Amino acid sequence: MKILAIDTSCDDTSVSLSDNDRILSNVISSQIELHKKWGGVVPVIAKRNHEEQIDFVIEKACKIARISLAQIDIFAVTIGPGLAMALEVGVKKIKELSQKFQKKVVGVNHMVGHIYANFSKNSNGKTYSGLSNNQSFPLLVLLISGGHTEFVLMKNHMDFEKIGQTLDDSVGEAFDKVANMLGWGYPGGPIIEKFARESGGKDKFNFPLPMKDSKNLNMSYSGLKTAVLRIVKEVGAESFPKINELEITDPRVTISKKPFYNVDRKTAVEIAYSFQKAAAFSLAHKLDFALEKFKVSKVLIGGGVSNNTFVRNILGKTAKEHNAKLFYPKNKKLLTDNAGMIATAAYYMASKNQFANTKYLDRDPSLSF
Ligand code: KG4
Ligand code: ZN
């Protein structure tokens, strides 16, 4: 079964071709450079860029996989959650293609995609995560992306129960906001990780761990963000971005000139490490609680924050304390937004006959489990 999948949920235009759950190509055209100067993703810019890129990315993905559009059996697309304007581009394109080639369509939940990145296989038929072919259930999933922080119990393929989530900011958002406070731009996660590495592991600020003692799987990151902001304000001089540095060329975009704080490099590195540690340990505390309660032997993680080695190490250690193992795809593309994970989710959905009625297929920006 040849599948073509598109993901345009946020700031990456991505197209993947797969043969069942084996990824043949996974092309990602990132818009990060376009959004950087705004300190976050601007929907109207994302939409326009997806429209500009989509045909080229489809062509490239087909070329790498050596498969033509006429050979595709199933067309798949992310329908949500994500930015409405951005999602629309992918949905429209998939409708066009499925009509032209008279093939079935699968509408995929982006967060389900992040879970299924763990089931994506390489051309030799091995999962990138190390999960075995005949997976037993239940599995515990921790989703840590830019928009979501959620615990999900996966009872079987395509059978999920959300068992906890953040009550405010997601952990990825906290990384992005802390980086913004320090004038480091977007996305914040990779840059905070890079600076934190220079710290030598000294936790100078010892930030409080959010909801550490609450006996449930809910999380919160806005308090941690505020605690960091207090320190940043104490030690830093307020700065404003200069308008000409922002190169505003798009008249449809208005920008709030939010201040950032000039903090000396040594202190910035210490803040980055202390923040990263608190963010990671708070996830670990919740994972500890979840494993206590659900006693599963396998934990999957998904979403952009799973790129973070420090976070992965702490979560891996916590899982081990419960005789459980942590899984994540050992493939950089599958860790952040990409269409490969959407193709894999689509394969499992198609196997269960979960096709969409193309007539009613639409984006659903706040789609949940
Ligand atoms: O899953 P993703 O690519 O997009 C969403 O579905 O939201 O996640 C993006 C998030 C951003 O908040 C980004 O800062 C974070 O993932 N991220 C990281 C790292 N790389 C990306 N956070 C921490 N450490 C990283 N190395
Ligand atoms: Zn994502």
Side-chain angles (χ1 to χ4, degrees), residues 22 30 35 98 129 175 181 213 243 255 264 283 310 359:
R22 294 182 188 203
S30 171
H35 298 285
S98 67
S129 66
F175 271 93
M181 286 173 206
D213 298 317
I243 200 86
I255 178 163
D264 68 84
L283 289 172
F310 186 87
K359 209 163 124 194

Side-chain angles (χ1 to χ4, degrees), residues 110 114 145-147 172-173 175-176 187-190 193 303-305 307-308 335-337:
H110 180 82
H114 276 305
S145 74
E173 206 174 339
F175 271 93
D176 294 335
E193 180 172 19
V305 183
N307 271 292
N308 189 295
L335 286 171
T336 32
D337 287 353

Side-chain angles (χ1 to χ4, degrees), residues 225-243:
K225 175 193 70 189
T226 309
V228 177
L229 182 60
R230 217 185 47 239
I231 296 292
V232 170
K233 278 184 171 174
E234 254 173 53
V235 298
E238 201 166 337
S239 288
F240 288 88
K242 290 192 200 85
I243 200 86

Side-chain angles (χ1 to χ4, degrees), residues 264-297:
D264 68 84
R265 189 181 173 101
K266 183 170 167 284
T267 313
V269 159
E270 288 165 346
I271 290 172
Y273 180 78
S274 288
F275 161 74
Q276 179 175 266
K277 187 177 170 202
F281 273 75
S282 76
L283 289 172
H285 271 290
K286 291 294 166 173
L287 178 61
D288 184 56
F289 183 76
L291 285 168
E292 191 82 13
K293 194 166 170 188
F294 293 100
K295 305 199 186 312
V296 299
S297 60

Side-chain angles (χ1 to χ4, degrees), residues 7 9-10 81 110-111 114 145-148 303-304 335-338 341:
D7 184 284
S9 57
C10 193
H110 180 82
M111 300 315 291
H114 276 305
S145 74
H148 294 77
L335 286 171
T336 32
D337 287 353
N338 69 94
M341 66 187 197

Side-chain angles (χ1 to χ4, degrees), residues 184 190-199 265 268-269 272-273:
W184 286 342
I191 200 154
I192 288 194
E193 180 172 19
K194 181 172 159 279
F195 275 93
R197 255 191 226 123
E198 294 176 17
S199 74
R265 189 181 173 101
V269 159
Y273 180 78

